[in-house]
Amino acid sequence: MNVPDSTEAIQFCHRKLWERDGNVKHLSQVTDDDYVVNETLAIFDGEEQKVCLDLAAARAACLLALERVTSLTERKEELMLRLESIEAKVSTYILLCMSNETVPQLSRFKEKFLPVPLRHLASAFASNGEVFPLTAILFRHRPELLPFQLQILDKLPLVAPPESFAHLLPVSRTGPTCFHTGEHGVNGLREWSVMAHYMENMYEMRLVLDDRDEAVLLDRCRHFDNELSTLEDKSIQEWYLTRAKRVHHEIGSLSVMRDFLQFASQRLNCSFTSISSFADDMDPGLRELCSMYNYAMQLYQIYAGPSSTLRS
C-alpha cells in the first residue's frame, strides 16, 4: 500500500477543505498553480456552484489566481486575460452594489452582469442618466471602453445638466489620458490616474474598492496608455457640435446649451468669448460652435434679465 508523504497529505487536505468550505485561505495553501487557476475559473463557469462562496471570496480567488497564472507554461496569456477580465468585472459589480447599499451576490453577478458586454452596460447607465455607475465603469474599464467613449456619452439624456457629467466630457489636444475638472484653461486638466481621488474628495464618489484594487486598475491602464492612440481632435469637436445642435433643436433649453458649450470651450482649449466667429482662418466646426455659444448667451441674457448671474 502506497502511503502519501506528509506534504501530499497536507495538500490533499487543503484541496478538500477548499472544496467543502470555499475558504480562499485553503486554496492559497495549494501549491499546484494549475489547480488554483482552474478552480477559480470554475467558480464563474456554468450555473451550478461547485464551491459555495460569496462574491468577495470569489474576488480574492481571482486575485490569487492572477498571481499563480504567471508560472504556467501553457495558455498563460489566454488565461491571464480571462482572469483579469473577470476580476475587473467582479470588483466593479461589488463597488456598484456598495453604492446602492445592496449585497453583491455571486449568482446574480454571473447571471446579470458577467455575460453583458461592458459597452452595453455603459450605454444602459448613460441612457438612464446614471452618472455614478457610468463614471465607475468608464474609469475602471478604460482599455475596453475608450474606443466607444463618444458613442456611450451620446446616450446621456439631452436634458441632463452638463455639470453632472462634466468630468466625463472628452478633452482635445491632450489625448484621452486626461479629464477636465471645470477650472479655467490648463489648470483644470488632470490625469485619469487621479480621477478616483478627485471624485471622492469633490463628490464623495468612490471609484475603487481598496488600495489593491486601485493598484491593479492603474497598472492595467498604465500599460494601456503606453500603447494608446489618442482620440482625434476632429472627432471630439464634431461630437460637441452634434450634441449642441441636438440640445438646441430637440429640447430647446438655453441653460443646458449655454452650460454645455462653456464646457466644450474649456475642453477644446478654445475660448468662444475671446475669438470672432467670423475669423477667416477659423475651423468651420469651431466657428459654428462659437456662433451657437454667442447666440445662446445673447438669448439667455434677454430671457433671464439683467439681474441674472452668468458664469464667466
Side-chain angles (χ1 to χ4, degrees):
M1 178 179 178
N2 292 327
V3 180
D5 62 27
S6 60
T7 301
E8 290 178 346
I10 292 171
Q11 287 293 298
F12 178 81
C13 289
H14 281 306
R15 290 188 187 204
K16 290 303 178 182
L17 287 169
W18 154 254
E19 292 168 8
R20 187 192 71 180
D21 302 332
N23 190 327
V24 182
K25 178 180 69 175
H26 296 301
L27 184 63
S28 68
Q29 296 301 314
V30 176
T31 57
D32 184 341
D33 294 331
D34 272 307
Y35 176 85
V36 172
V37 171
N38 289 329
E39 283 291 300
T40 299
L41 291 173
I43 295 170
F44 302 96
D45 289 337
E47 296 181 1
E48 292 188 9
Q49 250 343 101
K50 179 181 177 182
V51 177
C52 182
L53 71 170
D54 60 25
L55 199 55
R59 175 182 175 244
C62 276
L63 292 171
L64 174 64
L66 280 169
E67 294 174 358
R68 299 295 190 86
V69 75
T70 57
S71 66
L72 302 186
T73 55
E74 296 183 4
R75 300 172 57 213
K76 178 169 70 174
E77 292 299 323
E78 174 193 341
L79 293 172
M80 183 178 293
L81 289 173
R82 189 176 173 199
L83 284 166
E84 286 179 344
S85 175
I86 293 173
E87 191 282 323
K89 265 195 166 183
V90 167
S91 297
T92 297
Y93 183 74
I94 292 174
L95 185 74
L96 295 179
C97 287
M98 288 171 57
S99 72
N100 290 325
E101 299 182 348
T102 57
V103 178
Q105 298 177 345
L106 179 57
S107 58
R108 187 167 179 80
F109 168 77
K110 290 170 60 176
E111 179 186 357
K112 301 292 186 180
F113 201 83
L114 182 60
V116 182
L118 288 165
R119 183 182 180 184
H120 294 173
L121 289 169
S123 295
F125 291 140
S127 296
N128 292 329
E130 298 179 82
V131 175
F132 167 70
L134 177 61
T135 299
I137 203 167
L138 288 177
F139 171 73
R140 297 179 60 84
H141 299 276
R142 287 184 59 240
E144 299 90 343
L145 293 178
L146 185 62
F148 311 108
Q149 178 184 348
L150 299 181
Q151 296 96 310
I152 292 168
L153 294 178
D154 260 341
K155 304 290 185 181
L156 284 162
L158 295 178
V159 295
E163 60 269 21
S164 68
F165 57 91
H167 55 285
L168 297 177
L169 292 172
V171 180
S172 179
R173 304 179 188 178
T174 64
T177 60
C178 287
F179 69 100
H180 204 292
T181 64
E183 299 175 48
H184 290 294
V186 295
N187 294 328
L189 289 177
R190 299 288 188 277
E191 288 290 328
W192 265 91
S193 59
V194 304
M195 176 173 271
H197 293 284
Y198 175 81
M199 296 306 291
E200 185 166 14
N201 292 335
M202 293 295 294
Y203 306 106
E204 298 183 353
M205 188 184 288
R206 187 175 175 185
L207 299 181
V208 294
L209 290 173
D210 48 41
D211 291 343
R212 184 171 186 182
D213 181 42
E214 183 175 19
V216 170
L217 280 174
L218 294 183
D219 184 64
R220 286 181 68 231
C221 289
R222 190 175 299 112
H223 180 265
F224 171 68
D225 288 341
N226 289 338
E227 303 176 354
L228 193 62
S229 59
T230 61
L231 293 173
E232 293 185 3
D233 287 356
K234 192 69 175 176
S235 298
I236 295 174
Q237 179 183 300
E238 289 174 354
W239 181 83
Y240 278 112
L241 181 58
T242 300
R243 186 171 179 91
K245 286 181 177 179
R246 290 183 61 207
V247 169
H248 176 51
H249 294 297
E250 295 180 32
I251 66 169
S253 172
L254 285 175
S255 60
V256 171
M257 187 168 130
R258 177 205 61 176
D259 290 349
F260 180 74
L261 287 169
Q262 284 183 325
F263 286 126
S265 173
Q266 293 171 334
R267 284 146 185 78
L268 293 172
N269 195 26
C270 182
S271 173
F272 295 155
T273 59
S274 62
I275 57 176
S276 169
S277 59
F278 303 102
D280 293 335
D281 58 347
M282 190 178 186
D283 179 272
L286 283 178
R287 180 185 294 116
E288 192 167 1
L289 280 167
C290 181
S291 297
M292 291 183 71
Y293 174 76
N294 290 327
Y295 167 77
M297 289 298 289
Q298 289 169 6
L299 285 183
Y300 190 81
Q301 288 174 330
I302 291 171
Y303 291 120
S307 61
S308 64
T309 301
L310 298 179
R311 273 194 292 178
S312 58

